[in-house]
Amino acid sequence: MKGIEHKIIGVIIFILFYYFKLFPEIINNFLSNYFNLAIGFIICIIFSGGRINSKSLINFGLSPDNDFHKKQKRSIIFHSALFPALAIILIPNAFIYLISFFYSLHILVDLLNPLSFEGKRHTYFLIFISVILFFVMIYTY
Ligand SMILES: [Zn+2]
């Protein structure tokens, strides 16, 4: 899946989750003023898709697809929710929660679309577990 498609899904989730207050409480509180809302929106666009080495602004991003590997050789470390989970344990603030949320959302979207996911079956399972654990964590931690 292309970075731009990931971003579009990210923006839709952002709007829905903001409107219906479905984010974890720490993020809901953070987004309660317009300045933070703008910051949250920018985080959503940058982290839900795109690559750092992209020359066009629209495809630029700090998403999990930045491991620079071919699809089949994706680094399971980067293309899983391992780092987001560690980040919110080490630095539990709303900013980190937002970044981790959209970074992990990217991976979740990849999992839902097996055509864009070229990993082996056990890799898929490990990544699936990491994403589930991450989302359970942010809604209970
Ligand atoms: Zn991806």
Side-chain angles (χ1 to χ4, degrees), residues 1 6 63-65 74 79 106-107 110:
M1 189 178 274
H6 272 290
S63 80
D65 286 340
R74 267 180 187 154
H79 216 274
H106 172 108
I107 299 163
D110 277 349

Side-chain angles (χ1 to χ4, degrees), residues 66-85:
N66 270 309
D67 54 20
F68 302 116
H69 289 294
K70 288 202 170 74
K71 265 185 184 173
Q72 291 87 337
K73 293 175 184 164
R74 267 180 187 154
S75 159
I76 190 173
I77 306 276
F78 286 101
H79 216 274
S80 73
L82 183 69
F83 281 140

Side-chain angles (χ1 to χ4, degrees), residues 39-53:
I39 290 177
F41 191 70
I42 291 166
I43 288 176
C44 159
I45 288 173
I46 291 177
F47 286 90
S48 59
R51 289 171 190 266
I52 198 167
N53 62 345

Side-chain angles (χ1 to χ4, degrees), residues 1 15 24 26 31 38 41 46 57 63 75 78 81 87 96-97 123 134:
M1 189 178 274
I15 293 168
I26 187 169
L31 297 176
F41 191 70
I46 291 177
L57 207 62
S63 80
S75 159
F78 286 101
I96 300 296
Y97 263 72
T123 320
F134 171 79

